[in-house]
Amino acid sequence: AENKSILRCEEIEVSYGAFKAVTNVTYEFKPGFLYGLIGPNGAGKTTLMNALSGRAQLSKGRVFLNDQEITGQSPHARTWAGLGRSFQITQIFAEMTVFENLRLAAQAHRFRLQPFWRPVGKFKEIANDAERVLSEIGLEGFGHVNAGSLSHGDQRALEIGLALLSEPKVLLLDEPLAGVGHDVAEKAVELIRKVSQGRTVLLIEHNMDVVMEISDEIIVMLAGEILASGEAETIKRDPRVRTAYLGEE
Ligand code: ATP
């Protein structure tokens, strides 16, 4: 193809018993794009994300990252291949400091890169990685604070930081604004914009104003399928999308 995709899924399906949470989803994600994944509750957004990241088993279909088939690979193998994700449920160690959380994630990544790990010299690199991400997520000055005592918004930022330490080419964000108050949502949106520079991002977000404003392309799911995809303005005018959301907002 001319416009090579970085992530691609072909006719994927995820079933829970007789129930198909994702059916026949085919999609090509272009490098550097920010995709907003929307749809009513239960549409299959998280399940699709899980299917891409390896946390949900496919009953059918294939997934490719950079044209390499990753179907069946573990979530860890996919992370190492450049597919990172953050979670709806917090992954941070509340009783450790912000910096320690970041350092652990940095260490996990560098350990993988260097199986015959020589601590000397690497401690500095690990600390540098953690330091760099600390400022990238706007938490300079909070490094020594216990992660559990951060505001909700800052915990979300820290989670994105943990995902960044695996140097993802593709970053999957499942509701990074969930539970974040209006006052800090703007800051969080800025962070998402920032981390999307030079990467592909797939974002699940329920706030329509945010998702329409921030995304290069919107993907709408309904009942396990992709109902429509395209630029925000096109999606907003799509009668099928309007119908799907009747009674929703
Ligand atoms: P929300 O916006 O509420 O998070 P969603 O679009 O992310 O919804 P999913 O969480 O992917 O939707 O769920 C899709 C459907 O699959 C739902 O009907 C849900 O009940 C079902 N489902 C999800 N996970 C499982 C599971 N582990 N076992 C059985 N059913 C599941």
Side-chain angles (χ1 to χ4, degrees):
E2 280 272 87
N3 208 343
K4 233 180 92 184
S5 64
I6 187 161
L7 178 68
R8 186 169 96 237
C9 57
E10 288 179 359
E11 296 179 358
I12 62 170
E13 186 178 287
V14 178
S15 308
Y16 297 112
F19 177 74
K20 287 178 182 171
V22 168
T23 24
N24 198 32
V25 169
T26 297
Y27 209 79
E28 291 203 12
F29 297 89
K30 287 171 269 183
F33 272 54
L34 198 169
Y35 292 91
L37 181 56
I38 65 170
N41 291 330
K45 304 180 294 293
T46 298
T47 307
L48 176 60
M49 198 173 265
N50 287 341
L52 296 171
S53 71
R55 280 165 188 87
Q57 214 181 340
L58 303 186
S59 42
K60 197 173 151 282
R62 312 205 288 168
V63 184
F64 297 84
L65 184 64
N66 274 322
D67 275 334
Q68 300 266 66
E69 183 161 6
I70 56 168
T71 319
Q73 279 190 9
S74 71
H76 274 109
R78 292 179 205 215
T79 304
W80 296 334
L83 183 61
R85 81 166 292 180
S86 79
F87 295 86
Q88 224 172 339
I89 298 171
T90 189
Q91 300 287 298
I92 62 175
F93 294 105
E95 69 284 4
M96 286 172 37
T97 68
V98 170
F99 193 75
E100 283 166 345
N101 269 277
L102 289 169
R103 208 177 46 189
L104 255 192
Q107 191 168 317
H109 184 61
R110 286 206 177 260
F111 254 120
R112 193 270 308 176
L113 293 175
Q114 194 103 28
F116 301 104
W117 193 65
R118 283 163 300 155
V120 181
K122 288 288 176 194
F123 280 124
K124 186 105 177 72
E125 290 174 36
I126 287 166
N128 286 347
D129 289 346
E131 204 72 61
R132 189 192 67 237
V133 168
L134 187 67
S135 85
E136 202 174 343
I137 59 178
L139 292 183
E140 314 95 323
F142 289 89
H144 62 284
V145 169
N146 269 10
S149 62
L150 288 178
S151 73
H152 202 81
D154 287 345
Q155 289 194 17
R156 292 276 153 181
L158 176 57
E159 282 166 47
I160 291 175
L162 297 178
L164 289 181
L165 281 161
S166 69
E167 298 171 32
K169 298 274 184 296
V170 181
L171 184 59
L172 310 177
L173 300 174
D174 193 352
E175 296 192 43
L177 301 184
V180 171
H182 254 293
D183 44 336
V184 284
E186 209 167 302
K187 205 173 130 199
V189 169
E190 274 321 302
L191 177 59
I192 295 167
R193 260 195 232 279
K194 191 160 129 192
V195 303
S196 73
Q197 299 302 313
R199 319 194 152 81
T200 305
V201 172
L202 177 59
L203 167 74
I204 299 178
E205 177 49 50
H206 283 282
N207 183 321
M208 284 301 145
D209 294 337
V210 166
V211 87
M212 291 293 176
E213 184 202 321
I214 199 174
S215 307
D216 298 307
E217 203 163 313
I218 308 283
I219 304 170
V220 188
M221 284 190 82
L222 181 69
E225 294 186 83
I226 293 181
L227 178 72
S229 67
E231 285 178 13
E233 290 312 313
T234 316
I235 291 298
K236 280 185 202 165
R237 278 188 268 106
D238 192 319
R240 294 169 303 164
V241 176
R242 287 170 167 268
T243 308
Y245 274 96
L246 275 183
E248 271 289 306
E249 291 280 276

